[in-house]
């Protein structure tokens, strides 16, 4: 994704989103001096995260075994495509490649339609979260043992882990799942419906909600019909249930539906665009969008860390750096001269 180009500077939007509160240095790991910088940083660090191709870290002499020999308390985290064990360990891993390899693409898309990639890179982002979980656990263990360790996270492990209950269903039933579109295999009606103007998602997650929905949607005549009275029956008669609900939903506009469904306590939501999400009052009040002034790019917006600590968001200390912006600063901290 191309980022802003202001004053002759261009920075990738993904880079801007992921690198706030960091400093950037550039070193040539193909030289003894460059490797020496990394070794000296490892000696004074708590955590090293790397994502090299198979065998590259060892060749460059910055692998976990070498770095941990310099600092017994160091926690190293190696991120790879397929992990260090198995016939695919040398395979190149990218988000969409693992979505395909692990079966994600077989369950995404509309029923009977082609596979659809999840475009927000869930495998990449999930692997980062799993890496963080492992790092935090290793740091906690280090407080007891005084020893660091090497944590491994891989795109393959993440994608397979995400599919846990789909795989369990497959093993129990012996049949492949059908693509559900926006629907849910075990709930009905629980999907996107068109209204008289704009679509919304309706979440009738239990039979009590079904009773309430039928009352306000003019479907009292089918509310207790054995084909629809229970969720199991509605799932069994999914096509008929969805057709009836779809007809009812088209009788009112989205705003009216959202109001009456919300008043009845029935889960629902509009299908927002990114612009609508950005402008929504809850987004503003939540503090999830932060404004910062980049010294070269000017005023930028970024998404905050999705956590609160004692009610507060983590502070925005610095915007994403330019490549190598802090090289001289960090090398001076290591004791190197100009």
């Amino acid at each position: 994704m191309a980022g802003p180009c202001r004053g002759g500077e261009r920075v990738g939007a993904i880079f801007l989103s992921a690198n706030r509160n960091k400093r950037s240095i550039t070193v040539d790991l193909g030289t003894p001096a460059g490797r020496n910088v990394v070794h000296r940083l490892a000696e004074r660090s708590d955590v090293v995260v790397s994502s090299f191709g198979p065998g590259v870290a060892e060749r460059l002499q910055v692998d976990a075994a070498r770095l941990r020999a310099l600092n017994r308390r160091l926690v190293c985290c190696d991120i790879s495509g397929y992990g260090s064990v198995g016939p695919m360990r040398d395979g190149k891993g990218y988000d969409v490649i693992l979505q395909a390899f692990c079966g994600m693409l077989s369950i995404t898309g509309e029923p009977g339609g082609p596979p659809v990639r999840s475009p927000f890179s869930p495998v990449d982002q999930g692997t980062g979260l799993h890496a963080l979980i492992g790092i935090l656990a290793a740091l906690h263990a280090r407080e007891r043992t005084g020893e660091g360790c090497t944590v491994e996270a891989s795109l393959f492990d993440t994608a397979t882990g995400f599919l846990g209950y789909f795989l369990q269903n497959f093993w129990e039933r012996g049949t492949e799942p059908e693509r559900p579109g926006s629907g849910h295999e075990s709930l009905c009606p629980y999907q996107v419906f068109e209204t008289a103007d704009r679509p919304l998602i309706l979440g009738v997650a239990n039979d009590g909600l079904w009773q309430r929905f039928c009352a306000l949607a003019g479907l009292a005549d089918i509310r207790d019909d054995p084909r629809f009275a229970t969720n199991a029956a509605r799932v069994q008669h999914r096509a008929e249930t969805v057709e009836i609900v779809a007809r009812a939903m088209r009788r009112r506009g989205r705003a009216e539906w959202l109001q009456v469904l919300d008043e009845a306590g029935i889960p629902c939501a509009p299908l927002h665009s990114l612009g609508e999400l950005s402008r929504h009052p809850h987004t503003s009040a939540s503090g999830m969008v932060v404004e910062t002034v980049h010294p070269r790019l000017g005023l930028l917006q970024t998404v905050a860390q999705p956590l609160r600590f004692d009610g507060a968001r983590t502070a925005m200390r610095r915007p994403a750096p330019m490549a190598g912006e802090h090289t001289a600063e960090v090398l001076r901290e290591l004791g190197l001269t100009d």
Side-chain angles (χ1 to χ4, degrees), residues 77 79 122-137 151-162:
C77 180
I79 299 177
V123 182
D124 280 348
Q125 297 203 62
T127 301
L129 291 174
H130 290 148
L132 175 59
I133 292 167
I135 290 168
L136 293 176
V151 177
E152 291 187 51
S154 75
L155 304 185
F156 173 82
D157 289 358
T158 293
T160 303
F162 280 168

Side-chain angles (χ1 to χ4, degrees), residues 4-10 295-298 322:
C5 184
R6 305 174 189 175
E9 301 281 2
R10 181 174 292 279
R296 299 193 191 181
L297 304 177
M322 308 302 287

Side-chain angles (χ1 to χ4, degrees), residues 191-211:
Q191 64 184 70
V192 171
F193 288 95
E194 294 290 339
T195 70
D197 47 20
R198 291 176 290 174
L200 60 76
I201 190 160
L202 173 69
V204 178
N206 58 53
D207 295 335
L209 293 174
W210 172 252
Q211 295 281 321

Side-chain angles (χ1 to χ4, degrees), residues 27-36 38-39 50-64 66-67:
V27 295
D28 184 353
L29 293 178
T31 66
R35 290 192 293 271
N36 179 58
V38 173
H39 292 170
S50 62
S51 183
F52 291 105
V56 174
E58 289 80 4
R59 175 168 56 80
L60 295 174
Q61 301 176 30
V62 293
D63 55 287
R66 188 177 298 268
L67 298 183

Side-chain angles (χ1 to χ4, degrees), residues 135-329:
I135 290 168
L136 293 176
L139 290 172
H140 184 66
R142 189 185 72 175
E143 295 306 303
R144 299 193 310 272
T145 67
E147 294 280 345
C149 71
T150 301
V151 177
E152 291 187 51
S154 75
L155 304 185
F156 173 82
D157 289 358
T158 293
T160 303
F162 280 168
L163 294 171
Y165 78 81
F166 283 96
L167 285 165
Q168 198 71 51
N169 277 333
F170 170 73
W171 294 327
E172 298 303 321
R173 298 176 181 176
T175 58
E176 296 281 353
E178 296 182 3
R179 293 192 177 97
S182 63
H184 193 290
E185 181 183 38
S186 303
L187 298 171
C188 184
Y190 196 95
Q191 64 184 70
V192 171
F193 288 95
E194 294 290 339
T195 70
D197 47 20
R198 291 176 290 174
L200 60 76
I201 190 160
L202 173 69
V204 178
N206 58 53
D207 295 335
L209 293 174
W210 172 252
Q211 295 281 321
R212 278 184 258 165
F213 174 75
C214 287
L216 62 86
L219 299 177
D221 56 327
I222 68 160
R223 181 180 58 192
D224 300 316
D225 188 310
R227 296 170 297 170
F228 313 115
T230 67
N231 182 70
R234 292 191 297 275
V235 169
Q236 184 179 356
H237 299 88
R238 181 184 298 274
E240 192 172 358
T241 303
V242 169
E243 182 181 356
I244 291 171
V245 172
R247 285 201 301 267
M249 296 299 293
R250 286 193 289 267
R251 294 176 189 143
R252 307 184 192 185
R254 186 178 79 173
E256 183 180 356
W257 269 121
L258 291 172
Q259 179 179 344
V260 298
L261 290 168
D262 186 60
E263 290 172 352
I266 299 172
C268 60
L271 270 65
H272 278 153
S273 66
L274 297 184
E276 288 173 317
L277 171 67
S278 299
R279 295 187 296 270
H280 197 279
H282 184 79
T283 304
S284 176
S286 73
M288 274 301 293
V289 176
V290 180
E291 288 189 347
T292 184
V293 178
H294 193 286
R296 299 193 191 181
L297 304 177
L299 182 65
L300 295 175
Q301 289 179 303
T302 190
V303 177
Q305 182 74 14
L307 293 168
R308 291 181 183 272
F309 296 92
D310 292 330
R313 299 280 183 202
T314 53
M316 168 67 81
R317 300 184 301 277
R318 63 175 83 227
M322 308 302 287
E325 179 180 344
H326 304 96
T327 301
E329 176 183 315

Side-chain angles (χ1 to χ4, degrees), residues 101-141:
F101 187 91
C102 292
M104 280 187 172
L105 289 182
S106 75
I107 60 172
T108 53
E110 292 298 322
V116 177
R117 178 180 74 91
S118 297
F120 58 90
S121 302
V123 182
D124 280 348
Q125 297 203 62
T127 301
L129 291 174
H130 290 148
L132 175 59
I133 292 167
I135 290 168
L136 293 176
L139 290 172
H140 184 66

